[in-house]
Amino acid sequence: MNKRPLSLEVMISTLGSDGIKRVAAMTLPQMAGVSYLVSWQTVGEDSLLPEQLEARSDVRVIRTASKGLSRNRNHALDHASADVLLIADDDLDYIPQGLKAVRTAFDADPDLDIGLFRYSNGCGGYEKVYPQSPVRIAGHLPKDYYTTSMEIAIRREGRSGSLRFHEEFGLGAPVLKCGEEELFLLSARRAGHKIVLFPVDLCVHRGLTTGNRRVADRGVYRGMGAVTALIYPLTFLPRFVLAAWRGKKRGIMKFFPALINFIYGAAYMALRVRPFGRRAAD
């Protein structure tokens, strides 16, 4: 008896009229078994859906009045229907072979809960360090590697299908404006989910992600501080000093503002946030 190939749904989160125009400009290959779900935050707007998206039978657009990127991603997760779900932003160009590789990875390993893949910069290179062969993620992440949301694929009916992004973290959150993907994976690792990092190109992202651009928003520092304190509860203070020094050396942050806000984020998280849920403690 032939097993049905797993279906894949690419969940694109976007905001406002400019965001939906970026989605319309994305490269979204039309492939059997692959569909696209766009979670579109339209706060205070009455925007029309671009014709390029409306004409696609493999694209489904759902609107939400919520605020914050993590809420937007959770809205997509709550409405997704495919076997495998891929987190996505609104400025990517997908590669057919990459989408096929995601389905193949989950088809080949029924125990795989989360697959992590790779994006390129469109110039033949990468913006961060990746291992050269597949790596099982059980404890800490590989040296010099950090996770980006658009690299994460989830088996919907598996253990990770019930995971959600913490809504106190990420762009649009009140205090902790990054770190939602690290916390998402930390929750999965703590629960014993099987996570494998595959060095396979999934898409092209042109431009810098948060981890590679100059940091000016104190909320980003605070999110980094909160997540670092969660992952390294015994050594987070010296790690703050080292991260601030390295950031200053790279020219992407100022030492003392970074250090102060790292500490603020860790304290805020300890006093105000339940880290392994969706929302802040009452």
Side-chain angles (χ1 to χ4, degrees):
M1 180 178 177
N2 292 329
K3 185 177 69 170
R4 177 184 65 85
L6 296 178
S7 58
L8 173 66
E9 194 162 28
V10 181
M11 302 183 304
I12 305 166
S13 297
T14 194
L15 169 66
S17 57
D18 289 341
I20 200 67
K21 291 174 185 175
R22 287 194 296 272
V23 175
M26 291 173 66
T27 300
L28 304 175
Q30 293 180 279
M31 303 171 60
V34 176
S35 60
Y36 302 90
L37 174 63
V38 182
S39 180
W40 182 17
Q41 288 177 321
T42 55
V43 181
E45 294 185 80
D46 186 21
S47 302
L48 296 176
L49 186 64
E51 292 181 3
Q52 302 97 305
L53 298 178
E54 198 166 16
R56 294 274 300 261
S57 61
D58 59 342
V59 174
R60 181 162 56 107
V61 179
I62 52 175
R63 300 189 189 219
T64 173
S66 66
K67 296 182 180 180
L69 179 56
S70 288
R71 284 192 172 95
N72 203 1
R73 295 208 192 282
N74 287 340
H75 183 248
L77 285 165
D78 290 342
H79 289 82
S81 59
D83 299 312
V84 179
L85 310 177
L86 183 62
I87 309 296
D89 292 328
D90 61 9
D91 56 355
L92 307 174
D93 292 321
Y94 280 95
I95 303 167
Q97 302 94 309
L99 297 176
K100 181 179 179 181
V102 174
R103 300 175 71 193
T104 299
F106 282 88
D107 263 324
D109 185 355
D111 295 325
L112 180 63
D113 294 301
I114 296 177
L116 305 177
F117 297 86
R118 185 172 68 183
Y119 71 90
S120 69
N121 59 14
C123 299
Y126 303 95
E127 296 300 324
K128 60 182 182 179
V129 176
Y130 292 97
Q132 296 302 307
S133 58
V135 175
R136 171 80 181 268
I137 307 295
H140 294 309
L141 298 177
K143 182 177 174 57
D144 296 326
Y145 171 80
Y146 60 91
T147 308
T148 306
S149 293
M150 59 192 172
E151 299 170 332
I152 301 173
I154 308 156
R155 189 185 299 273
R156 187 174 65 88
E157 294 295 336
R159 294 176 295 178
S160 294
S162 61
L163 286 176
R164 294 296 183 268
F165 287 89
H166 198 300
E167 294 171 359
E168 286 284 351
F169 289 76
L171 291 175
V175 176
L176 309 173
K177 297 186 182 297
C178 73
E180 70 279 10
E181 55 271 272
E182 288 94 340
L183 186 53
F184 185 91
L185 285 187
L186 180 60
S187 299
R189 298 204 306 273
R190 284 168 59 102
H193 297 186
K194 184 174 183 180
I195 307 169
V196 178
L197 170 57
F198 300 93
V200 176
D201 286 3
L202 173 66
C203 61
V204 174
H205 179 268
R206 295 173 176 84
L208 298 177
T209 59
T210 301
N212 286 301
R213 65 168 66 101
R214 182 175 178 80
V215 181
D217 189 333
R218 62 186 181 182
V220 174
Y221 294 131
R222 292 172 178 180
M224 294 166 66
V227 169
T228 301
L230 279 171
I231 297 174
Y232 304 103
L234 301 179
T235 61
F236 66 89
L237 285 174
R239 288 176 184 275
F240 287 171
V241 175
L242 182 60
W245 178 78
R246 285 178 173 171
K248 181 179 184 298
K249 190 175 180 181
R250 291 173 58 196
I252 63 172
M253 60 180 67
K254 295 181 179 179
F255 181 84
F256 284 109
L259 183 59
I260 290 168
N261 282 290
F262 288 159
I263 295 170
Y264 184 103
Y268 179 88
M269 184 272 303
L271 296 173
R272 297 286 304 277
V273 177
R274 290 195 301 265
F276 299 103
R278 287 174 67 150
R279 296 177 175 84
D282 296 331

